[in-house]
Amino acid sequence: MHVPDGFINAPTSAATGVLAAGALAVSLKGARRELDERTAPLAGLVAAFIFAVQMLNFPVAAGTSGHLLGGALAAILVGPFTGVLCVSVVLLMQGILFADGGLTALGVNITDMAIVTTVVAYAVFRALVKILPRTRRSVTVASFVAALLSVPAAAVAFTLIYAVGGTTDVSIGKVATAMIGVHVLIGLGEAVITALTVGAVIAVRPDLVYGARGLRQRLKLRVGGELVDAPATGPAPVPAAARSHRRLWITGLVASLVLAGFVSFYASASPDGLEKVAADHGIDSTARQHASAGSPLADYGVKDVDDARLSGGLAGVIGVGVTVAAGSTVFWAVRRRRASSTSPAA
């Protein structure tokens, strides 16, 4: 769903850029409350993992593929405000280094892929965890549904943006039908990836999953034949082994490097949902050459490396490294800002 330059006219692109900038400012402020000693190190890793998994296009229909958007995954693991920042970091790295997603369309892509997916997914997730039993399995189920709905929501958002600022005369009804239809199928893949990842993390480190906080059930006592909540005794102490996030961080980074550097070679080569819809309906006739088309990493390959497998693998590894570095720097700065604003002197 990376929108290239030329699909959306300049005024609409500028308007979405202003909207995206405002949302990022709000997210930076909100992330101060979400990022602590547990989630701050994880946030940069989440961004790198999303970058890696987005390289793994999976087939969804004849001649069409899809890939993870990541808004739901980021929001559930590290919080909605931090999630918006995670996906935005990924989109910025993809646009500048890999010529994936137009630079003039960066506001469109952040609005569509970072803001809409995260807001919709987290709203659905919070609604479900309130009505489902307070268990880890419920978190996984809620993650699946939230991710599933976030992708067609992004397709609807793109359709609305295109209705306002599209540069071709294609019927909006046709665009909506094609976009929503294919992205419902892509949403199934998004849901599976999100649920499996959240389930894996919550199985080993539930304390690191933002969406699973507060799920510890109160002890019940039977008094006079009725079950009542036992008096609160304060939070249980976290074991020393659980307080360290180093093992999970290293495992996640290695997994991201393997996915981007090796598994990505076997990803589907079919066009993704937006590319397919654009080609079928002539929307891509107005696409412009990417400003970063001359980047040595354009199209997820290393310039002057002739072996396709090696070129793509190196590009993926570089992308993971740059994304985790950029994301970690941003979240470290936000975390430091929070620490300084809550110090006794402040």
Side-chain angles (χ1 to χ4, degrees):
M1 198 177 285
H2 294 76
V3 179
D5 296 317
F7 275 24
I8 307 297
N9 62 30
T12 306
S13 296
T16 55
V18 172
L19 175 62
L24 290 177
V26 172
S27 296
L28 284 168
K29 186 175 181 180
R32 294 185 202 170
R33 300 190 298 270
E34 294 174 348
L35 292 170
D36 54 25
E37 65 280 358
R38 295 176 295 174
T39 54
L42 184 63
L45 177 62
V46 169
F49 183 77
I50 290 173
F51 174 90
V53 180
Q54 283 197 3
M55 294 183 67
L56 308 180
N57 280 48
F58 49 85
V60 294
T64 310
S65 69
H67 63 69
L68 181 81
L69 297 185
L73 178 62
I76 295 165
L77 287 179
V78 293
F81 293 109
T82 309
V84 169
L85 298 178
C86 283
V87 181
S88 298
V89 167
V90 174
L91 293 172
L92 185 61
M93 295 299 101
Q94 290 170 331
I96 294 176
L97 298 178
F98 298 92
D100 190 9
L103 295 183
T104 62
L106 186 59
V108 175
N109 285 320
I110 290 177
T111 299
D112 195 24
M113 296 177 64
I115 300 170
V116 171
T117 59
T118 302
V119 170
V120 170
Y122 198 70
V124 172
F125 176 81
R126 293 310 307 174
L128 288 175
V129 295
K130 286 183 178 180
I131 61 177
L132 293 173
R134 298 170 66 84
T135 64
R136 296 177 185 179
R137 181 174 297 179
S138 295
V139 174
T140 304
V141 171
S143 300
F144 183 94
V145 178
L148 174 63
L149 296 179
S150 69
V151 178
V156 171
F158 169 80
T159 303
L160 294 176
I161 293 173
Y162 197 82
V164 174
T167 53
T168 62
D169 296 327
V170 180
S171 166
I172 298 303
K174 292 182 178 179
V175 175
T177 301
M179 283 292 293
I180 296 171
V182 71
H183 283 90
V184 167
L185 299 177
I186 295 174
L188 289 171
E190 178 102 10
V192 171
I193 296 171
T194 300
L196 288 175
T197 305
V198 171
V201 177
I202 204 172
V204 295
R205 290 297 303 272
D207 59 302
L208 291 182
V209 179
Y210 185 89
R213 294 182 179 182
L215 289 182
R216 188 165 60 92
Q217 291 181 307
R218 293 284 298 275
L219 179 65
K220 297 287 187 178
L221 297 178
R222 186 174 296 278
V223 178
E226 296 182 357
L227 290 176
V228 298
D229 288 333
T233 58
V238 180
R243 288 197 296 267
S244 174
H245 58 268
R246 182 177 302 174
R247 180 177 299 178
L248 178 65
W249 197 92
I250 293 174
T251 302
L253 180 60
V254 170
S256 299
L257 292 171
V258 170
L259 291 173
F262 177 73
V263 181
S264 62
F265 181 77
Y266 301 97
S268 173
S270 299
D272 64 26
L274 177 59
E275 291 173 335
K276 179 65 173 175
V277 171
D280 289 347
H281 294 84
I283 298 175
D284 59 355
S285 62
T286 59
R288 299 198 307 267
Q289 185 179 26
H290 199 287
S292 298
S295 166
L297 298 174
D299 297 324
Y300 297 94
V302 178
K303 187 177 181 180
D304 298 329
V305 176
D306 296 329
D307 185 274
R309 181 181 302 224
L310 179 60
S311 178
L314 286 175
V317 168
I318 293 171
V320 168
V322 171
T323 303
V324 75
S328 298
T329 300
V330 170
F331 300 125
W332 176 83
V334 174
R335 171 74 180 118
R336 187 178 181 184
R337 184 75 178 271
R338 169 183 169 169
S340 62
S341 65
T342 56
S343 66

